[in-house]
């Protein structure tokens, strides 16, 4: 064989081997004939619940295997954005800021995949949150319910505060304000009375709504620098300045500072959601309970955020993804999330499991749900919303430190948010 012929044959053989290697490395099975799909979430504590739910699914669907990947919340949104753009995201993933992906055609239309009747089983507020342009873009998994106030029963007793007093508290910067005087009583017996600070869902949105303000208007324009917004944020800043809360220097840099202080018995009142309930139940070494959040000039207003699982429109196995989405949105698949009181299932028929679990533990969770009987505050959204939150964050942090007056900080933050959306 001539040298030139040998070279051609060698190149052809190398090409065949390279193509075979690419096909082998890029295949989706594990050698058993099953289709292997990925599910990305950000909460390690819910892996056992998902693993149990998916194990039941896989027994009924032996041709599919689902592997769970956990990406920490601190880097979740940024990494997901890069991976979706780069085509390396999992077949299914958790989302709560989905609008950019939906608008870019990156998500599976849930109504088209599961049928229009699927949504009737899910929490209406969760369905509304994930509906955009008349289409549903994620299967709701769990809801946070409303915001309430965890209290340290021992610290209240030391300050001679009856827990029943908490349900009647009102905050008002210009009128009937029973909340601040009570915090002063608690500050006399505890390092910290309360957790006012830069906590978007548990503190800022409820105060903004309870003042009669909104983070965004109906057209997704930012509106938190309204007179009502100034009143709400000014009240929070004053609580920090008076030493009734942890320092903003601590809470700005560590989102878990207040929760950890509560668990250590150093914080009398922790305003938060059901997402901290299991940890508090397991780790608190003192008597505790749950009360309604304080009532503002416009009443008690809480947000009710939901987490959904979206289908990646770029998946190579849309039918398998459809079957998994149907399972995770069913009562049988969704009820696992209520086991151990982990979280409130988005399937309405399964939510009583959550209440029953905590009732059996002697915990009254009704404040988380009672607050939702009144008006609710939207947690915001729209194209570019994650970028807007990132732009707002450092300005509000400086405001809480007392370095920027509240009206100026809110005005600057709104402008920064609008610029971020425009650039996005």
């Amino acid at each position: 064989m001539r040298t030139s012929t040998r070279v051609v044959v060698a190149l052809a053989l190398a090409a065949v081997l390279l193509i075979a290697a690419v096909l082998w490395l890029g295949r989706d099975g594990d050698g058993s004939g099953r289709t292997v799909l990925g599910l990305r979430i950000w909460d390690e504590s819910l892996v056992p619940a998902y693993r149990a739910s998916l194990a039941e699914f896989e027994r009924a669907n032996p041709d599919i295997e689902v592997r769970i990947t956990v990406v920490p919340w601190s880097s979740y949104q940024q990494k997901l954005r890069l991976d979706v753009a780069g085509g390396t995201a999992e077949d299914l993933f958790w989302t709560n800021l989905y609008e950019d992906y939906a608008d870019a055609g990156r998500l599976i239309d849930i109504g088209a995949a599961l049928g229009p009747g699927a949504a009737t089983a899910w929490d209406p507020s969760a369905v509304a949150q994930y509906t955009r342009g008349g289409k549903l873009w994620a299967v709701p998994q769990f809801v946070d319910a409303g915001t309430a106030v965890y209290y340290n029963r021992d610290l209240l007793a030391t300050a001679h505060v009856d827990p029943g007093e908490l349900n009647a508290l009102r905050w008002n910067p210009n009128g009937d304000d029973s909340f601040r005087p009570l915090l002063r009583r608690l500050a006399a017996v505890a390092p910290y009375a309360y957790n006012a600070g830069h906590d978007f869902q548990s503190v800022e949105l409820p105060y903004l709504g309870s003042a009669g303000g909104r983070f965004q208007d109906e057209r997704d324009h930012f509106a938190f620098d309204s007179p009502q917004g100034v009143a709400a944020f000014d009240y929070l800043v004053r609580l920090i300045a008076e030493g009734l809360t942890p320092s903003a220097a601590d809470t700005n840099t560590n989102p878990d500072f207040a929760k950890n202080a509560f668990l250590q018995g150093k914080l009398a009142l922790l305003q938060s959601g059901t997402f901290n309930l299991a940890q508090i139940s397991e780790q608190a070494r003192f008597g505790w309970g749950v009360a309604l959040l304080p009532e503002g000039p416009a009443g008690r207003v809480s947000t009710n955020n939901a987490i959904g699982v979206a289908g990646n429109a770029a998946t190579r196995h849309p039918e398998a993804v459809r079957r998994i989405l149907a399972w995770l949105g069913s009562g049988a698949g969704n009820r696992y999330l209520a086991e151990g009181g982990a979280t409130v299932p988005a399937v309405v028929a399964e939510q009583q499991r959550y209440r029953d679990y905590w009732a059996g533990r002697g915990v009254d969770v009704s404040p988380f749900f009672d607050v939702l009987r009144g008006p609710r505050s939207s947690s915001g959204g729209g194209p570019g919303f994650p970028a807007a939150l990132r732009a707002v964050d450092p300005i509000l942090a400086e405001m809480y430190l007392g370095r920027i007056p509240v009206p100026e900080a809110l005005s600057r933050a709104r402008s920064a948010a609008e610029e971020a959306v425009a650039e996005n």
Side-chain angles (χ1 to χ4, degrees):
M1 185 181 294
R2 292 187 303 177
T3 301
S4 59
T5 303
R6 287 199 298 269
V7 170
V8 171
V9 171
L11 289 174
L13 180 59
V16 170
L17 291 174
L18 180 60
I19 292 171
V22 170
L23 291 175
W24 173 262
L25 293 174
R27 70 201 201 108
D28 299 305
D30 60 356
S32 65
R34 292 178 297 181
T35 297
V36 179
L37 302 181
L39 168 63
R40 181 185 300 197
I41 68 176
W42 62 68
D43 191 341
E44 184 79 40
S45 69
L46 287 179
V47 170
Y50 268 105
R51 190 65 269 158
S53 176
L54 292 169
E56 182 176 343
F57 170 83
E58 290 166 358
R59 285 192 292 271
N61 299 268
D63 59 319
I64 299 176
E65 178 185 351
V66 185
R67 296 176 181 173
I68 301 171
T69 299
V70 178
V71 176
W73 170 252
S74 59
S75 59
Y76 188 92
Q77 301 293 357
Q78 181 178 6
K79 182 167 174 52
L80 180 63
R81 186 180 186 88
L82 293 173
D83 291 347
V84 169
T88 58
E90 285 81 354
D91 305 271
L92 306 105
F93 48 82
W94 271 5
T95 182
N96 64 339
L97 299 172
Y98 69 95
E99 291 90 346
D100 287 344
Y101 303 121
D103 291 354
R106 302 284 191 171
L107 304 182
I108 291 174
D109 179 343
I110 300 301
L114 304 186
T120 59
W122 303 326
D123 189 293
S125 65
V127 172
Q129 179 178 334
Y130 288 102
T131 298
R132 180 172 178 81
K135 297 180 180 181
L136 185 64
W137 297 106
V139 172
Q141 290 295 278
F142 56 91
V143 296
D144 289 333
T147 300
V149 176
Y150 296 91
Y151 60 84
N152 183 318
R153 195 180 299 273
D154 299 343
L155 291 177
L156 263 62
T158 302
H160 305 291
V161 174
D162 188 304
E165 294 183 47
L166 302 180
N167 291 324
L169 291 174
R170 296 178 58 88
W171 73 269
N172 193 326
N174 302 310
D176 179 19
D177 185 6
S178 58
F179 189 47
R180 195 192 311 257
L182 180 129
L183 294 183
R184 295 194 182 106
R185 292 164 61 189
L186 294 173
V189 302
Y192 313 113
Y194 181 60
N195 65 313
H198 194 13
D199 184 329
F200 182 64
Q201 179 171 335
S202 296
V203 177
E204 292 169 343
L205 286 179
Y207 271 88
L208 187 57
S210 296
R214 292 179 295 178
F215 196 76
Q216 290 176 294
D217 62 21
E218 295 86 352
R219 296 176 294 174
D220 292 340
H221 295 163
F222 296 97
F224 52 80
D225 62 338
S226 64
Q228 295 87 350
V230 171
F233 282 98
D234 186 68
Y235 190 87
L236 294 172
V237 169
R238 289 178 182 275
L239 293 182
I240 298 171
E242 292 178 16
L244 301 175
T245 76
S247 167
D250 293 318
T251 56
N252 282 349
T253 56
N254 181 4
D256 291 328
F257 186 91
K259 179 187 67 178
N260 293 338
F262 184 80
L263 290 170
Q264 295 162 5
K266 298 178 180 179
L267 179 73
L269 303 179
L270 174 69
Q271 186 164 303
S272 189
T274 56
F275 43 83
N276 282 324
L277 183 53
Q279 185 178 6
I280 289 173
S281 176
E282 293 170 1
Q283 299 182 18
R285 299 294 178 259
F286 48 83
W288 60 277
V290 184
L292 288 168
L293 55 75
E295 182 177 355
R300 290 187 178 89
V301 182
S302 173
T303 187
N304 181 22
N305 193 42
I307 303 302
V309 62
N312 188 343
T315 180
R316 286 182 285 183
H317 305 284
E319 174 55 23
V321 168
R322 187 199 66 77
R323 286 156 63 186
I324 296 169
L325 289 171
W327 169 256
L328 294 177
S330 69
N334 192 233
R335 67 176 56 133
Y336 284 91
L337 297 181
E339 296 299 322
T343 190
V344 185
V347 175
V348 175
E350 302 300 325
Q351 292 181 349
Q352 190 60 41
R353 289 176 179 268
Y354 180 86
R355 292 175 179 253
D356 291 345
Y357 174 85
W358 288 110
R361 297 287 299 272
V363 178
D364 179 12
V365 297
S366 60
F368 294 110
F369 296 91
D370 290 348
V371 70
L372 297 178
R373 296 174 181 171
R376 302 183 187 184
S377 178
S378 170
S379 55
F385 190 73
L389 288 183
R390 290 193 297 271
V392 165
D393 186 78
I395 300 172
L396 295 189
E398 290 290 291
M399 178 191 72
Y400 285 116
L401 288 167
R403 296 172 180 169
I404 309 176
V406 173
E408 178 185 346
L410 296 185
S411 178
R412 287 171 54 181
R414 179 182 57 78
S415 296
E418 291 173 348
E419 291 174 6
V421 168
E423 292 175 359
N424 188 75

